[in-house]
Amino acid sequence: MSRAEAVRDAQRAFVGLLEQPLVTSSTNPPLYRLVLRNLQAVTEFARRPGYRIQRIGRAVRLIRVPVAGTVSLPPRPADAPGRRLLALICCLAACCEEVSGTVTLQRLSDMVRDLCATPGVHVTAYDPDDRAQRRQLRAAAEYLDQIGVLRRRTSDDRMLDDWIEGGTGPGAGYEVDRDPLLLMTSADVLALALNPEPADPDTLNAARALRQLRDLLELPAVLYAGRDPEDADLLRRQRGFRATDLAQMTGGTVEARTEGLLLVLTDDERVPATVVDWPRAKAADWVALLMADIAGRDGTRHQDGTVTLTSDQVDEVADDLLRWRGDYMNKLQKTVPGTVRADAEAKLSELGLLTVTGDGGWVLSPVVGRYRDPDVTLTDPAEPAS
Amino acid sequence: MRPEQPDDKREPAAGPDLWQLAGLPGGLLEASYLTGRYAAQYRVIVDVLLEQQQHTLTGVSAAELPDLLRARLGAVGADPELIEEANFDLKERMGSLARWGVIHRFQDKALRDADFIRDLDRYQLTETAAQLHRAVTSFGQDLAAGAAATLAPGVLTANLTVLRDNVTTDPDKAAAAWSIIETTYQAMARAAAGWQSRLAGALAGTPTAEKIGTVQETLRRYVDMWGAGIDTHSEMITTHVNALTGLPDAVWRRIGVHNLGQNADEQAIVELTASYRRTLDTLRAWFDGPDCQARRLRRQMRDTIQPLLRGQRTLAAVGGHVSRRAELLALAGQLEAAPDDAAAWQLWCTATSLYSAVHLPGLAPAPAGNPSASSFWDAEPVLVEARLRKQGPKATTGTASRIADNREHRKAARDHNRRLQQEAERTEQAILARSGLLLSQWTDLSDPELDMLLRLLSTVAASRPDQAGVREVVTGDGRWYVRAEPAESGVPSAVVSVNGGRLVHPDVRLHITATAVNA
């Protein structure tokens, strides 16, 4: 393997960890192997933005140690778990600690119920006799399954359905993997997150470059507007350095424009996992694309590149789109008023391209300018939508 | 879903307990002294009695017991004056021990007058209690025994060789070798069981630093001393054991008789001979074949090494914090107390960093010059090919037709239409402005105006004139009302110069007004 290929491999591994910070030999074998092969380089990459690579058994973890109690957090995905589910995930993981080997969902459910009833645990009681709560527990188990803490050992969905619907039977059989379980949280990071140290101006100053690097690594785009002037100035002056750093770590290029910077990741062979697959051949995706395009023209553009529309203007844009392309929309979008707008808002917010103000108005990020005049083609239903 | 009822709280089943009736061994009354409220006091007493067994055959007298107890308390680092404490009633404690069958209580002979007013009780542990207490005190002390047992395979080989060489010729030597084999084997089995139980305990449940230490220590001892011994000695031991098992009963009987003496009764000799055979069988089970106990133990040990190494790495990686339970629960509480889902998500991500970075798709062509001087809105956009899926009913015949992307065309068409419309409007206005003029006065006609004029004239020509020769007509689209007054006689034809040439027509006067439709 040539040196360039080796570097490329390491970059792929690092970007893979940015997408899936906890990887085990069973959840994502190719990435796991890739990371292990390039562990040294990946550790070095991770050190630059102040991250940490931790490895236990057959699990590897990228830990984003918070700086001043914060991490560079991209917009919340539309399907992100709610707070109750997140709390249940924690409780379930705590119960998994007491299990060695295999366990059934029914048993886990009992353990969570007992755990929530333990004095000193400040979590709302979990009632396994309630179907909705059983569903949530299944969702929690699925989440842990995804990150590799639980591994489902039974494939009979009927058993699981029986448990969800009627509360009978064992549900599903799982195996607990301790390595990812231990890696799910780490004591120091949790302490930093739960009791953030007060933001000391000196610390913030010192961490400025670190946080800029993190923002560029993690966020869809980094805009000068909205940052404090000193920060924006530093970023503007050092964008060359940052671009070099990012190119070394990820193999991507930095797209610099008047309004801000963004990291563009491309790969000759495949699209890196962190790059969102947008627009896909789905009604919601292209509605978002077209709405952004039209709104970008119709709205008021400001000095900093943002475009604002009032709520009424947004409605007009949606109506216009519905009249123009209504034939191709799905039934819900055609029949339920407001669906087009809601779909577009959900999708664009998730991508970090849109902020919806309190009164329903839109603030489009300047980055929307990258997607103007999209080339939209039509396919018929016989062609598989991929 | 219901929690299981604890064992003891269950209602007793009606009728006698079949398990007890089956004659199975149940509780051991002698062990009561280990479990009661005053277990610590009882245990010290029994400790002292057991220790004194080495020095006296007649037991410990009640008079010397308190001093012995004080000495014992001092030896273990407790306050010797504890026996003066209110709830320590030696007489009563000894009574309980006697009731449980832990001690025999008997009386010294009273020889002098004074003896009759003294407490002349003597105490001796019963045999069962002594054995039980020896077992109890040996807890946690099998380290030394284990270390001695690590040499077992070697010792066994040596003595089996001696036994085999002398079994028929020298019963004395044979008996000596046999006694070593017997004890060695027992120590070995005990040590192995100890190792196994310790490993099993250490590997169960959440790993802790202490457990990993235990595993490490056990494994080290096993691997250092015994691991290779199994391979080296197994074959020799098996060969010897097989040869010895093949010997006739008479040979074993002779050794038994030699051990027990000529006067031993028949029963004892038969039992001893049988025990020889049993021991040989057990030895074979230990060392013979690929699935023998020794190899199985070694396989178990081997399987332990990997989790052990992982455990060590785990400890190193997590800095000694092996359980995440408390942290997870604290996090769960805070997550649920978050004001909304978004805040909870933020906390979750900060605390666990289990989230994915997001990058936007597409590579925009770099603008010329300094890229950071141009705006996102001015630079070339990203090439996005969004494919829309056509919804709705499929064509009933043939293959579904591709829907061409007409967006640009539509847009162009719309623009074009709008332009045409505007142009048409302008033209109509210009034509209307000329209403009432003679045709010869129509100058500077543009092409669209000429177009419209020709349409009007052709409409007019197609109509029938009235007596005065005036033609009145409404255009075919119903928008214009045209009234053409005929040219006066003798007036030459009007010549209207247009871009494409000249229009020659009788010099009519055209009145054009918009109809109600048009308005």
Side-chain angles (χ1 to χ4, degrees):
Chain A
M1 191 188 285
S2 74
R3 184 168 153 63
E5 277 172 46
V7 170
R8 192 73 202 94
D9 255 12
Q11 289 167 344
R12 281 196 196 113
F14 182 61
V15 173
L17 280 181
L18 285 181
E19 198 265 334
Q20 194 180 349
L22 175 53
V23 56
T24 73
S25 59
S26 58
T27 53
N28 192 343
L31 178 59
Y32 178 71
R33 281 198 299 272
L34 196 63
V35 172
L36 282 206
R37 263 209 310 274
N38 300 285
L39 197 60
Q40 200 184 354
V42 172
T43 311
E44 166 60 26
F45 289 157
R47 199 185 48 75
R48 291 198 210 175
Y51 292 164
R52 207 165 65 204
I53 298 287
Q54 211 173 51
R55 193 180 148 213
I56 297 179
R58 294 183 184 187
V60 184
R61 174 87 155 89
L62 173 81
I63 297 178
R64 293 141 158 149
V65 185
V67 174
T70 56
V71 288
S72 293
L73 186 60
R76 179 171 179 256
D79 59 351
R83 57 189 149 166
R84 171 67 177 161
L85 182 51
L86 287 173
L88 263 186
I89 289 171
C90 289
C91 293
L92 191 58
C95 290
C96 286
E97 275 207 335
E98 293 164 26
V99 177
S100 54
T102 53
V103 67
T104 62
L105 191 56
Q106 162 66 54
R107 173 93 190 98
L108 283 174
S109 163
D110 286 351
M111 288 167 86
V112 171
R113 179 199 56 206
D114 295 347
L115 181 72
C116 292
T118 314
V121 176
H122 305 290
V123 181
T124 320
Y126 162 76
D127 177 13
D129 292 333
D130 178 5
R131 192 166 62 183
Q133 298 202 31
R134 284 200 301 273
R135 284 217 180 100
Q136 274 196 320
L137 192 78
R138 178 182 59 175
E142 272 168 4
Y143 183 88
L144 291 182
D145 196 354
Q146 253 173 36
I147 62 172
V149 171
L150 286 178
R151 257 192 306 233
R152 201 165 144 191
R153 282 297 186 214
T154 51
S155 53
D156 188 0
D157 275 337
R158 214 178 38 220
M159 219 153 64
L160 188 58
D161 290 342
D162 283 353
W163 185 78
I164 300 289
E165 296 308 317
T168 55
Y174 289 96
E175 190 182 356
V176 176
D177 191 344
R178 278 180 188 284
D179 298 336
L181 180 58
L182 269 179
L183 284 180
M184 242 183 93
T185 53
S186 46
D188 56 335
V189 173
L190 212 58
L192 283 177
L194 294 182
N195 311 302
E197 290 158 13
D200 173 11
D202 288 344
T203 325
L204 281 183
N205 257 334
R208 196 161 263 169
L210 203 67
R211 282 189 300 138
Q212 289 180 348
L213 190 56
R214 287 180 173 204
D215 285 355
L216 280 166
L217 267 178
E218 308 270 7
L219 306 185
V222 179
L223 301 174
Y224 299 127
R227 306 194 144 235
D228 75 66
E230 212 176 317
D231 200 15
D233 192 44
L234 183 76
L235 184 57
R236 225 180 243 119
R237 275 188 285 118
Q238 295 198 329
R239 61 174 186 269
F241 292 123
R242 295 285 89 82
T244 319
D245 277 345
L246 287 166
Q248 283 171 357
M249 294 157 74
T250 64
T253 49
V254 168
E255 195 173 298
R257 297 284 183 263
T258 327
E259 298 93 346
L261 308 169
L262 73 102
L263 176 64
V264 181
L265 293 178
T266 47
D267 198 312
D268 299 337
E269 295 160 43
R270 54 181 178 260
V271 181
T274 57
V275 177
V276 281
D277 185 11
W278 181 76
R280 295 167 62 195
K282 283 169 64 182
D285 281 30
W286 68 263
V287 158
L289 186 67
L290 293 181
M291 285 281 282
D293 185 38
I294 304 175
R297 290 167 212 281
D298 290 3
T300 321
R301 191 174 311 163
H302 298 276
Q303 185 72 37
D304 59 4
T306 53
V307 170
T308 53
L309 289 93
T310 62
S311 187
D312 290 343
Q313 279 176 309
V314 178
D315 282 335
E316 276 171 30
V317 170
D319 287 345
D320 193 24
L321 190 64
L322 196 61
R323 259 203 309 278
W324 176 39
R325 279 288 164 87
D327 287 350
Y328 305 117
M329 294 185 182
N330 64 29
K331 194 174 172 191
L332 217 58
Q333 288 171 333
K334 270 190 277 195
T335 51
V336 180
T339 312
V340 169
R341 178 177 173 153
D343 279 354
E345 279 179 356
K347 203 75 213 174
L348 293 173
S349 308
E350 196 181 9
L351 291 165
L353 298 177
L354 170 72
T355 318
V356 181
T357 58
D359 55 1
W362 275 20
V363 181
L364 286 173
S365 154
V367 187
V368 171
R370 298 181 85 224
Y371 299 101
R372 63 187 196 275
D373 300 331
D375 180 20
V376 181
T377 56
L378 301 179
T379 60
D380 58 68
E383 198 178 12
S386 55
Chain B
M1 297 274 143
R2 220 162 286 127
E4 237 173 66
Q5 240 175 348
D7 212 24
D8 296 344
K9 305 248 173 83
R10 285 216 182 118
E11 294 293 313
D17 184 359
L18 293 178
W19 285 80
Q20 275 183 8
L21 291 183
L24 296 169
L28 186 64
L29 186 62
E30 286 88 341
S32 305
Y33 76 95
L34 289 171
T35 57
R37 155 113 162 72
Y38 299 115
Q41 300 176 7
Y42 288 126
R43 208 165 152 167
V44 171
I45 295 169
V46 177
D47 271 346
V48 166
L49 292 179
L50 187 69
E51 200 179 285
Q52 288 302 310
Q53 273 195 337
Q54 298 177 24
H55 309 300
T56 166
L57 289 175
T58 54
V60 178
S61 74
E64 51 191 351
L65 190 56
D67 285 340
L68 288 169
L69 285 174
R70 274 197 199 87
R72 174 80 190 159
L73 286 172
V76 298
D79 181 8
E81 294 315 309
L82 271 179
I83 64 166
E84 305 298 339
E85 213 201 359
N87 71 3
F88 182 74
D89 183 347
L90 186 56
K91 202 77 193 162
E92 197 189 315
R93 298 290 167 266
M94 298 318 282
S96 303
L97 286 175
R99 210 163 51 246
W100 292 328
V102 176
I103 54 169
H104 297 296
R105 184 161 48 174
F106 51 94
Q107 292 228 312
D108 263 349
K109 282 195 186 111
L111 299 175
R112 297 184 297 266
D113 290 353
D115 290 345
F116 286 93
I117 52 168
R118 276 170 45 202
D119 183 354
L120 287 179
D121 276 354
R122 291 191 79 84
Y123 309 110
Q124 181 61 285
L125 285 180
T126 62
E127 196 186 341
T128 318
Q131 277 184 15
L132 176 68
H133 202 66
R134 244 176 248 127
V136 168
T137 45
S138 74
F139 285 163
Q141 291 182 355
D142 59 345
L143 222 78
T150 50
L151 296 170
V155 175
L156 284 174
T157 315
N159 285 286
L160 280 169
T161 313
V162 173
L163 178 63
R164 196 186 150 196
D165 291 348
N166 298 300
V167 68
T168 47
T169 51
D170 189 345
D172 217 11
K173 270 192 183 168
W178 183 258
S179 97
I180 297 176
I181 290 169
E182 184 79 39
T183 45
T184 308
Y185 149 71
Q186 274 173 8
M188 175 192 82
R190 215 169 30 242
W195 289 338
Q196 255 164 329
S197 65
R198 228 171 318 146
L199 282 183
L203 293 176
T206 317
T208 61
E210 195 187 343
K211 282 183 181 175
I212 286 174
T214 309
V215 176
Q216 230 172 346
E217 162 65 23
T218 312
L219 267 182
R220 197 180 51 70
R221 231 154 2 99
Y222 174 85
V223 171
D224 280 0
M225 304 205 237
W226 203 9
I230 300 292
D231 275 345
T232 319
H233 298 288
S234 278
E235 203 181 336
M236 188 69 99
I237 293 177
T238 313
T239 318
H240 286 326
V241 167
N242 284 341
L244 289 168
T245 317
L247 291 175
D249 273 348
V251 177
W252 294 114
R253 197 182 158 78
R254 199 160 68 233
I255 298 177
V257 170
H258 180 86
N259 277 1
L260 294 174
Q262 292 293 334
N263 300 332
D265 69 351
E266 181 62 22
Q267 183 64 27
I269 294 173
V270 169
E271 259 180 36
L272 187 62
T273 315
S275 87
Y276 292 154
R277 295 248 176 233
R278 272 204 304 277
T279 306
L280 285 175
D281 282 347
T282 325
L283 275 177
R284 186 178 307 111
W286 259 91
F287 291 101
D288 190 15
D291 237 8
C292 64
Q293 187 68 25
R295 297 209 174 164
R296 221 176 319 157
L297 180 63
R298 193 170 54 174
R299 274 200 293 276
Q300 284 182 353
M301 294 282 185
R302 184 197 59 203
D303 294 344
T304 316
I305 291 178
Q306 201 192 355
L308 167 76
L309 292 179
R310 281 173 57 181
Q312 271 180 319
R313 257 212 309 270
T314 306
L315 277 185
V318 298
H321 297 264
V322 181
S323 173
R324 298 277 190 245
R325 191 183 144 96
E327 297 162 10
L328 283 167
L329 291 180
L331 180 59
Q334 295 234 7
L335 281 171
E336 212 174 49
D340 56 17
D341 284 353
W345 174 248
Q346 190 167 7
L347 175 62
W348 166 261
C349 290
T350 313
T352 66
S353 74
L354 284 174
Y355 63 90
S356 164
V358 172
H359 295 118
L360 290 170
L363 180 65
N370 179 7
S372 55
S374 59
S375 159
F376 281 111
W377 296 102
D378 303 328
E380 285 277 299
V382 172
L383 274 179
V384 182
E385 276 193 31
R387 292 146 70 81
L388 315 189
R389 204 148 58 89
K390 181 180 181 281
Q391 305 281 336
K394 214 171 142 182
T396 44
T397 54
T399 52
S401 57
R402 296 260 161 145
I403 305 255
D405 174 27
N406 286 331
R407 187 178 173 232
E408 284 304 312
H409 299 165
R410 275 167 199 263
K411 194 176 158 208
R414 253 197 325 217
D415 289 351
H416 184 66
N417 273 341
R418 202 179 305 126
R419 236 181 4 257
L420 285 187
Q421 191 106 31
Q422 286 167 356
E423 213 165 306
E425 259 172 46
R426 263 203 308 280
T427 312
E428 284 165 4
Q429 291 306 320
I431 294 283
L432 276 179
R434 298 175 202 266
S435 172
L437 292 183
L438 285 172
L439 201 54
S440 55
Q441 289 165 328
W442 289 47
T443 50
D444 300 332
L445 271 185
S446 66
D447 286 349
E449 286 170 12
L450 174 67
D451 216 43
M452 185 169 168
L453 174 63
L454 287 176
R455 267 188 288 130
L456 291 178
L457 287 178
S458 62
T459 315
V460 168
S463 66
R464 192 188 287 269
D466 61 5
Q467 287 97 358
V470 174
R471 297 162 193 252
E472 291 182 28
V473 72
V474 175
T475 54
D477 57 6
R479 294 183 61 203
W480 309 106
Y481 168 76
V482 187
R483 181 164 180 269
E485 292 172 3
E488 290 166 24
S489 55
V491 174
S493 292
V495 178
V496 184
S497 62
V498 292
N499 289 340
R502 292 177 305 163
L503 169 71
V504 182
H505 192 273
D507 197 6
V508 295
R509 189 185 295 274
L510 288 176
H511 297 273
I512 306 160
T513 42
T515 60
V517 175
N518 208 12

